Amino acid sequence: MNLRRAAAWLHRRAENVVAALFAVMFVAFILQIVFRYFFNFPVGWTTELTIICWLWMVLLGSAFVLKESEEIRFDLIYSAAGPRVRRVMGVIMGASLVILYAMSLPASVRYVAYMKVEKSSYLHIRLDWLYSIYIIFAVAIIVRYAWIAWQYWQGRDPAASDSVEVSSGL
């Protein structure tokens, strides 16, 4: 039970970080408008900060905040299939994503490490620090989909939902 409480606490902190990134992105965007249209003094750092916040917000959110049931997907075939076929599809999907992300991870790490020689244009932040979030994202996705594939393998359907539920998107 302590592990679940710790995971819930970490999930809430990830939500807090994503919300803070969104707030910073919004303030930078408003500042960009004010500087450009009210003072006729366009500044580039606000654009750069907005892009950095967006990148980190999307990847952190996808890795640690979004639940599997909240992911956008085209599941017409999956929903039409029976439980046994869905289970096989889930194992194949999970294993495929784990394999693909794991195969790309060494090259991604090398590329991010290589980017230490570059800095961002306005804020002068090393690009390896900026893009390191992708490595965190990739590892989190590998762990998540390994767990999901394992659940399907064990006969549990983590994505089981009724297509006419309120949260189904229909």
Side-chain angles (χ1 to χ4, degrees):
M1 194 55 143
N2 286 336
L3 185 60
R4 283 185 193 240
R5 240 182 321 166
W9 185 85
L10 287 171
H11 184 265
R12 288 190 307 273
R13 297 304 71 82
E15 285 179 335
N16 296 146
V17 170
V18 168
L21 286 167
F22 186 75
V24 169
M25 186 175 79
F26 180 73
V27 169
F29 179 71
I30 296 300
L31 283 173
Q32 181 180 10
I33 292 170
V34 169
F35 275 101
R36 175 170 290 201
Y37 295 109
F38 289 107
F39 300 124
N40 197 22
F41 184 69
V43 289
W45 66 267
T46 54
T47 302
E48 191 170 288
L49 183 61
T50 301
I51 291 169
I52 291 167
C53 287
W54 178 83
L55 174 71
W56 276 71
M57 185 177 62
V58 167
L59 293 178
L60 269 177
S62 295
F64 299 112
V65 176
L66 282 180
K67 297 177 182 101
E68 183 64 19
S69 61
E70 297 170 338
E71 294 281 346
I72 296 173
R73 66 183 90 216
F74 297 102
D75 61 353
L76 293 173
I77 297 171
Y78 180 86
S79 295
R84 192 173 207 167
V85 174
R86 277 198 302 247
R87 193 173 141 208
V88 170
M89 291 168 71
V91 170
I92 292 170
M93 176 267 315
S96 299
L97 287 171
V98 167
I99 289 167
L100 290 171
Y101 273 100
M103 285 174 54
S104 73
L105 194 56
S108 299
V109 169
R110 282 194 306 272
Y111 185 73
V112 168
Y114 168 76
M115 293 305 289
K116 71 181 176 190
V117 299
E118 296 283 334
K119 291 186 177 183
S120 63
S121 299
Y122 290 97
L123 300 175
H124 304 291
I125 301 172
R126 283 181 25 185
L127 291 187
D128 61 333
W129 291 5
L130 294 181
Y131 295 133
S132 65
I133 187 59
Y134 179 77
I135 304 304
I136 296 167
F137 163 79
V139 170
I141 294 300
I142 290 169
V143 170
R144 172 189 280 186
Y145 282 99
W147 175 250
I148 289 171
W150 178 252
Q151 285 184 310
Y152 276 115
W153 185 262
Q154 295 296 312
R156 293 184 295 267
D157 187 354
S161 65
D162 187 5
S163 62
V164 293
E165 284 181 6
V166 173
S167 64
S168 72
L170 290 180

